[in-house]
Every structure is written in C-alpha cells, then in structure tokens.
Amino acid sequence: MRARLPAAALEGTRGRLQTSGSGLRQCSSCRRSLRVAATLVGPDPTRLAAAATDVLDRSSKCLRGREVEEAAMWRCIELQQAHPQGMQIPMQRWSKDLLEQAYSRCAEVTSEYAKTFYLGTQLMTPQQAKAIWAIYVWCRRTDELVDGPNASRITPKALDRWEERLEALFDGRPYDELDAALTDTISQFPVEIQPFRDMIDGMRMDLVKSRYET
C-alpha cells in the first residue's frame, strides 16, 4: 500500500514552479510570506483572514473530510507567515554531514517506493526536494506500521509511542537520522504538526476497522 502523505504538510514547502517558453523556472513572486496560498492548488489569498476564522478553531465545530485538510493547510500558511525565514529548532548531536546522509537515505527510499513521485521532486530546488523526501519517508514509515510485515504486532500503545516520537522531533529531539531529516525540514519550512497526527489517527482506525463508507 502506498504511503498516504498529509497534503497540508506538503503544501507548507516553499515556492512553486511555473511554465515558461523556455521550460520550467521558479517563480520569484512566490517568495513572499503568502507564497503557499499563491500555488495553483492553494486557495485564494484574499480569503486568508475569513478562512482562518472559519476553519482553524477546531473547538468551534467538528471538521469532516476535506475540511480537515483545509484547516491544516491554513495552519501551515499561518506558520509560513509567522516564520518566513524558517524556525530555529535546536537539535543536538546531528551534524551537517549526518543530516546529508539522512537526506540521501530519504531520497533512496522515495526513489525506490514512489518512483514517479521522486521524479517530480527533480523539478524542485535541492532544498525543496530534500524536504519532500523527508516528509514522504515519515509517511511511509507510519503507513508501514499497520500495513507492513510487522503489522500483526502493532498495538495502539505502539502508535502512541510513535506519536510521542513525532512530538519529540517537532521539539528538536529526533530519535534517529530519518527523524532528524524531518526535524531539519520543519525548521526550514515550518508546517503544522496536526496533519501528521491525523495520519497516525488514521492508522489507529486501521487497527480496528477494515471497511469504511465511501
């Protein structure tokens, strides 16, 4: 089964590519604080204030389906606005060389299990591509917990521990080198943790349900 990427997390990466007569180029106008909202798949920037009020307060209403992704996307946009140059997340014992090794491993995993997805990242800047690889690998590792060879031994407590690892890496305390790649990614491209938590919640559902309404 393919890893299910949290769309809102991927929306948090910077910039976009647009076509021109000479091929593909990076759009410099997207380097403003609202660059995420300016993508072809993103919402109209003029809706930012209204939409943020409508969908970000989870306590005000129960979000369903696409509303969940939209709410998370707006949270990512707000983080990008608040930290246009990235966030400083202190991270111990992971040197630049170790991080490069981690990103290389993420690239290998992505190219092996998501070949066309990996090819798409070749149109991005190296920094953007590495960020996408790190997010993809975390998603694949999460998916493998309930769909991989060790799925029969996965319990709700195991998923609880996985969520604790997620929170730790967002706090700058990655457990291993692949977690460290994601910590480094979110320090450069701030994203909201909720889409990642939502994916873990989906794995919890997979432990107890095998069929869903369509």
Side-chain angles (χ1 to χ4, degrees), residues 6-38:
L10 297 182
E11 285 288 341
T13 54
R14 293 179 176 175
R16 66 183 170 98
L17 296 173
Q18 71 173 20
T19 56
S20 67
S22 58
L24 291 168
R25 64 184 176 84
Q26 187 174 359
C27 178
S28 60
S29 65
C30 300
R31 293 175 184 170
R32 299 176 183 176
S33 60
L34 203 57
R35 54 187 165 274
V36 179

Side-chain angles (χ1 to χ4, degrees), residues 21 38 40 78 107 136 175 178 181:
L40 294 177
E78 284 199 331
Y136 172 83
Y175 180 79
L178 298 180

Side-chain angles (χ1 to χ4, degrees), residues 8-211:
L10 297 182
E11 285 288 341
T13 54
R14 293 179 176 175
R16 66 183 170 98
L17 296 173
Q18 71 173 20
T19 56
S20 67
S22 58
L24 291 168
R25 64 184 176 84
Q26 187 174 359
C27 178
S28 60
S29 65
C30 300
R31 293 175 184 170
R32 299 176 183 176
S33 60
L34 203 57
R35 54 187 165 274
V36 179
T39 61
L40 294 177
V41 297
D44 185 346
T46 60
R47 295 175 51 215
L48 178 57
T53 301
D54 290 340
V55 302
L56 288 184
D57 187 0
R58 282 175 169 268
S59 63
S60 64
K61 73 172 186 175
C62 180
L63 300 181
R64 289 177 172 271
R66 191 175 183 84
E67 289 179 333
V68 175
E69 290 189 6
E70 186 175 354
M73 181 180 67
W74 284 114
R75 290 182 186 275
C76 290
I77 291 173
E78 284 199 331
L79 277 175
Q80 286 282 316
Q81 289 184 308
H83 306 281
Q85 304 302 320
M87 296 188 299
Q88 294 298 318
I89 301 179
M91 186 167 54
Q92 299 179 350
R93 78 185 178 90
W94 299 102
S95 66
K96 183 177 179 179
D97 289 341
L98 287 175
L99 284 174
E100 285 303 316
Q101 292 177 24
Y103 279 121
S104 294
R105 178 56 183 152
C106 289
E108 292 172 2
V109 173
T110 306
S111 64
E112 180 177 355
Y113 294 99
K115 291 180 172 59
T116 55
F117 188 76
Y118 176 79
L119 288 175
T121 64
Q122 301 309 292
L123 300 175
M124 302 176 181
T125 66
Q127 188 180 28
Q128 290 170 337
K130 289 192 293 185
I132 296 299
W133 299 336
I135 293 173
Y136 172 83
V137 167
W138 183 88
C139 294
R140 179 159 191 89
R141 296 172 85 188
T142 303
D143 192 66
E144 285 289 301
L145 291 175
V146 297
D147 289 328
N150 297 317
S152 61
R153 296 195 289 271
I154 295 298
T155 65
K157 286 187 176 181
L159 291 178
D160 290 344
R161 290 194 296 271
W162 186 249
E163 186 166 10
E164 289 171 1
R165 278 183 57 169
L166 171 68
E167 293 169 351
L169 72 84
F170 264 79
D171 288 338
R173 297 179 286 107
Y175 180 79
D176 60 18
E177 65 174 11
L178 298 180
D179 283 356
L182 186 53
T183 298
D184 187 61
T185 288
I186 62 178
S187 71
Q188 299 178 63
F189 303 105
V191 293
E192 170 65 33
I193 193 174
Q194 191 58 46
F196 298 86
R197 286 177 172 152
D198 290 342
M199 184 169 181
I200 295 174
D201 284 342
M203 300 303 104
R204 290 189 176 101
M205 292 173 64
D206 285 350
L207 288 181
V208 297
K209 291 185 67 174
S210 59
R211 297 181 65 88

